[in-house]
Amino acid sequence: ADQMIGEPADDRLIAKGNVKTVFTPKAAAGDASLDATAGDNGPITITSRTMTYEQRDRVINYAGNAKAIQVNRTLECDEMDGELVERDEFERLICTGDLLIEDPDQGKEVKGDVAIYRPDDDEVDVTGDPVVLTDRDGTELRGGRILYRFDTGTARIRSRPDPDSPNAEETG
């Protein structure tokens, strides 16, 4: 980052200008104590204009052209929140605003409003009005919610849950 500001009293770190963060899953770094499938996807590199890390809440917010790259897949959006687990790895990334997911290995692209990506699951849950999945042949799949698997390039259309329903399926 061009500038970093620590706020120890608030357990906060703020970075501004050309922010770049690289998270390497511990299993990818050779930690045999973790599940063998963890980290198979490699490091996650995130860039943005600003970053705010709230240590108490274990949340990192990236704002301004937020972009996460893991292997060849890319998640781009206006703002991205990363929720960390105790090993300082992402439990999930939540992308909002002008969302674009590119998976060149599978020849697919997904556009929507909100995406929830769990790196350990290799699946991204995208909602929008509408969500549009396009393959390399130009075929489009549209829906209110699409669950896309990076490992297989497959997608499932789901109905968007009604937030007021007591039986609404959890999206995050």
Side-chain angles (χ1 to χ4, degrees):
D2 295 333
Q3 180 183 20
M4 294 187 74
I5 303 164
E7 296 178 352
D10 294 324
D11 283 336
R12 181 179 304 132
L13 175 68
I14 299 169
K16 297 179 180 181
N18 300 309
V19 175
K20 180 178 180 180
T21 310
V22 178
F23 287 88
T24 302
K26 293 194 183 349
D31 186 346
S33 67
L34 298 176
D35 181 88
T37 61
D40 286 347
N41 294 323
I44 300 172
T45 301
I46 300 175
T47 58
S48 66
R49 287 192 196 125
T50 65
M51 180 215 62
T52 303
Y53 172 51
E54 302 286 346
Q55 187 173 6
R56 263 187 219 121
D57 298 331
R58 304 191 61 73
V59 173
I60 300 176
N61 173 270
Y62 296 92
N65 296 331
K67 183 176 190 177
I69 300 171
Q70 186 177 33
V71 188
N72 287 330
R73 63 188 74 139
T74 303
L75 284 80
E76 293 182 55
C77 54
D78 294 330
E79 191 167 337
M80 184 180 304
D81 287 325
E83 297 176 357
L84 300 173
V85 292
E86 41 188 73
R87 297 182 311 258
D88 288 334
E89 293 177 330
F90 285 117
E91 178 176 17
R92 65 185 187 167
L93 290 172
I94 303 167
C95 299
T96 56
D98 203 17
L99 172 69
L100 172 64
I101 300 169
E102 295 176 305
D103 186 0
D105 290 344
Q106 300 291 343
K108 308 266 174 72
E109 176 181 284
V110 181
K111 293 181 180 179
D113 298 326
V114 177
I116 299 172
Y117 174 52
R118 289 181 171 83
D120 288 345
D121 293 341
D122 215 23
E123 183 174 76
V124 62
D125 186 348
V126 184
T127 56
D129 192 20
V131 178
V132 180
L133 180 140
T134 308
D135 70 10
R136 63 175 50 105
D137 298 326
T139 304
E140 287 188 357
L141 177 65
R142 293 174 176 262
R145 180 177 177 207
I146 293 178
L147 298 169
Y148 178 75
R149 292 215 44 94
F150 287 109
D151 56 350
T152 62
T154 58
R156 293 177 287 156
I157 297 178
R158 299 282 189 205
S159 60
R160 203 175 333 187
D162 177 0
D164 297 326
S165 170
N167 295 323
E169 182 180 343
E170 184 179 323
T171 61

